[in-house]
Amino acid sequence: METAQRLKGISEYYFSQKLREIDAMNKAGRQVINLGIGSPDLPPHPDVIRVLQEEALKPHQHAYQSYKGSPVLRKAVAEWYRRWYGVELDPEREILPLIGSKEGIMHICMTYINPGDTVLIPNPGYPTYRSAATIAGASVMEYALSSDHDWFPDLEAISQQLQASGIRRALMFVNYPHMPTGQLPVRERFEELVAFAQQNQVLLIHDNPYSFILNDNPVSLLSVKGAKEVVIELNSLSKSHNMAGWRIGMLVADSRRVDEILQFKSNMDSGMFLPLQLAASRALELGKDWHDEVNDIYRTRRARAYELLQLLDCTCDHNQAGMFLWASVPHRYADGFALSDAILQQAAVFITPGGIFGSAGNRYIRVSLCSTEEKFNEAIERIKTRMTV
Ligand SMILES: Cc1ncc(COP(=O)(O)O)c(C=O)c1O
């Protein structure tokens, strides 16, 4: 059997290839420091793990679960959205727990895209938007982001492009705090986005997993007036609660959207392990203290990351949110790939080249803050002593 047409043009995920290369270097004794991937190295709150342990010990907690998620988790999500984002959601009808927000991206594409339909994706942006849209048969249209426009889309230009191409409906992925650039959400820009979606028959998918990391003001796109008509929001506990491996996310939207997506999703999985959902509900109750503690650690690491970037003559905006630093590379390097390769080969430190997020990221690199301060210090030392920058 050959692979299906829908996989043509879908390549192996960059990190999956890169990790093999790093593995080979480690086997050869290089002890690579990986400042690439955004997988939190810190644990969840101990109470969260306790709930998982206690619930998993109960003999009746191991059955299939509802496709719509546990009512306890849906209620916790509704409370969480009210408390942090000021958004009112009906826990019965407007919330769908997910096995990580990544699966939500795929489910949305499979639910709404017919072959040839347009999906607008950010360049630079999270690579999964493109692959999920492509697998669903979409025609992918990139919209460029640049530092000159504060990494927000030029909505006027997109609107003209849609009209010129005769496109009457489209799905559009947006993501603030933005990965990889760290751009913060801006309320005024969010209002413009919703107005644009209303005027252009666009369904906005706001992917919002970074709002609690190094960001004092979490914002939901659903908090904009009228947004429920045109917005589906994805969120996740992966980064905000150090639970990336648990695979817990959520989709929040108008009840009609939730029902439509459930039509697809209920044919894909059979619910989530109840102790995970109950522990996630506990995590969503955590207060500002806990987030502050986690952010203090990221802040210390970020200070080291600034130092490291300075050594490499890279420049970066000091007002970024999320667990990465996005920095432009000096002109003596052809692009971010060249600098990333040089650091890996000479200093055995891996930093992600910005070009993997799209061509507009070619002159950038992205440093992950998911490594200890000691690892950052060691990386700085290696760059100082081993690199000919
Ligand atoms: C922008 C963005 N969206 C979604 C995800 C996926 O998150 P989850 O772990 O909830 O699937 C990531 C993870 O790296 C991400 O960077």
Side-chain angles (χ1 to χ4, degrees):
M1 284 288 266
E2 285 190 12
T3 56
Q5 283 295 333
R6 71 176 70 86
L7 286 188
K8 297 270 180 295
I10 305 281
S11 40
E12 187 184 353
Y13 202 52
Y14 171 84
F15 283 115
S16 136
Q17 280 174 26
K18 203 70 197 177
L19 286 177
R20 264 205 308 278
E21 190 184 327
I22 291 172
D23 206 33
M25 287 177 73
N26 283 337
K27 284 195 178 116
R30 298 289 309 273
Q31 295 183 342
V32 175
I33 296 176
N34 189 340
L35 303 180
I37 291 183
S39 180
D41 56 318
L42 299 166
H45 191 285
D47 287 354
V48 175
I49 297 170
R50 200 169 303 124
V51 173
L52 177 67
Q53 285 174 326
E54 285 169 8
E55 295 298 330
L57 282 171
K58 297 177 184 167
H60 57 274
Q61 297 292 53
H62 300 271
Y64 285 125
Q65 292 300 313
S66 155
Y67 296 104
K68 279 184 68 174
S70 148
V72 177
L73 178 54
R74 279 186 274 114
K75 196 159 165 279
V77 170
E79 282 297 321
W80 189 61
Y81 257 81
R82 178 182 301 132
R83 185 152 59 116
W84 292 96
Y85 298 109
V87 171
E88 295 294 329
L89 295 167
D90 177 349
E92 285 298 314
R93 303 168 67 223
E94 296 181 322
I95 293 167
L96 182 61
L98 296 174
I99 305 169
S101 63
K102 189 172 181 177
E103 76 146 6
I105 296 168
M106 192 73 225
H107 292 343
I108 290 167
C109 289
M110 294 305 276
T111 302
Y112 294 107
I113 297 303
N114 285 314
D117 280 349
T118 302
V119 175
L120 290 152
I121 62 162
N123 174 11
Y126 183 44
T128 298
Y129 307 141
R130 174 186 289 281
S131 40
T134 305
I135 289 169
S139 159
V140 173
M141 192 185 268
E142 288 181 355
Y143 63 87
L145 301 176
S146 74
S147 58
D148 296 345
H149 213 259
D150 297 333
W151 305 106
F152 274 90
D154 181 343
L155 297 174
E156 190 59 42
I158 297 173
S159 183
Q160 280 169 14
Q161 202 181 347
L162 291 177
Q163 275 164 30
S165 319
I167 295 164
R168 289 202 180 75
R169 51 169 240 153
L171 203 140
M172 177 176 184
F173 284 98
V174 288
N175 152 236
Y176 295 97
H178 183 245
M179 199 294 298
T181 68
Q183 173 62 48
L184 287 156
V186 176
R187 183 158 289 282
E188 214 171 75
R189 297 289 175 94
F190 272 18
E191 286 164 3
E192 288 164 11
L193 267 170
V194 169
F196 160 85
Q198 287 165 338
Q199 284 153 20
N200 291 276
Q201 303 290 320
V202 166
L203 178 59
L204 288 172
I205 315 302
H206 183 226
D207 186 19
N208 194 12
Y210 291 101
S211 48
F212 287 81
I213 311 296
L214 295 175
N215 174 27
D216 295 331
N217 185 22
V219 187
S220 162
L221 190 52
L222 283 172
S223 65
V224 174
K225 196 160 174 275
K228 261 189 207 165
E229 293 159 33
V230 290
V231 173
I232 296 172
E233 184 156 285
L234 295 168
N235 216 319
S236 170
L237 278 73
S238 292
K239 331 280 177 179
S240 54
H241 296 83
N242 296 335
M243 292 164 73
W246 293 50
R247 312 308 304 132
I248 306 216
M250 69 205 74
L251 179 152
V252 297
D254 182 77
S255 61
R256 180 168 65 99
R257 298 289 178 211
V258 169
D259 291 344
E260 289 163 349
I261 293 159
L262 195 55
Q263 204 180 331
F264 178 78
K265 179 174 157 61
S266 59
N267 285 291
M268 289 294 104
D269 63 70
S270 300
M272 290 149 76
F273 186 42
L274 185 58
L276 278 180
Q277 299 192 61
L278 298 175
S281 309
R282 176 69 191 93
L284 293 174
E285 288 170 4
L286 292 170
K288 188 169 177 306
D289 292 2
W290 190 76
H291 291 293
D292 285 350
E293 255 174 57
V294 172
N295 278 315
D296 282 347
I297 296 173
Y298 281 128
R299 218 167 274 116
T300 310
R301 293 172 178 185
R302 186 170 60 178
R304 295 283 87 74
Y306 287 143
E307 211 176 301
L308 182 151
L309 287 167
Q310 212 170 7
L311 276 178
L312 296 166
D313 283 340
C314 291
T315 45
C316 72
D317 184 344
H318 282 222
N319 195 25
Q320 298 183 33
M323 49 181 48
F324 306 102
L325 273 187
W326 180 247
S328 63
V329 305
H331 287 292
R332 63 180 178 279
Y333 289 97
D335 54 23
F337 288 100
L339 176 56
S340 170
D341 282 344
I343 307 168
L344 183 59
Q345 293 314 323
Q346 295 174 38
V349 173
F350 174 61
I351 294 178
T352 308
I356 71 158
F357 304 105
S359 55
N362 274 344
R363 295 224 51 84
Y364 293 84
I365 54 170
R366 190 198 73 171
V367 180
S368 164
L369 304 180
C370 298
S371 280
T372 60
E373 197 184 355
E374 291 70 35
K375 280 263 172 3
F376 270 100
N377 289 338
E378 168 69 18
I380 288 168
E381 195 52 34
R382 286 188 194 182
I383 288 169
K384 266 188 197 158
T385 54
R386 298 187 198 171
M387 272 195 83
T388 48
V389 274

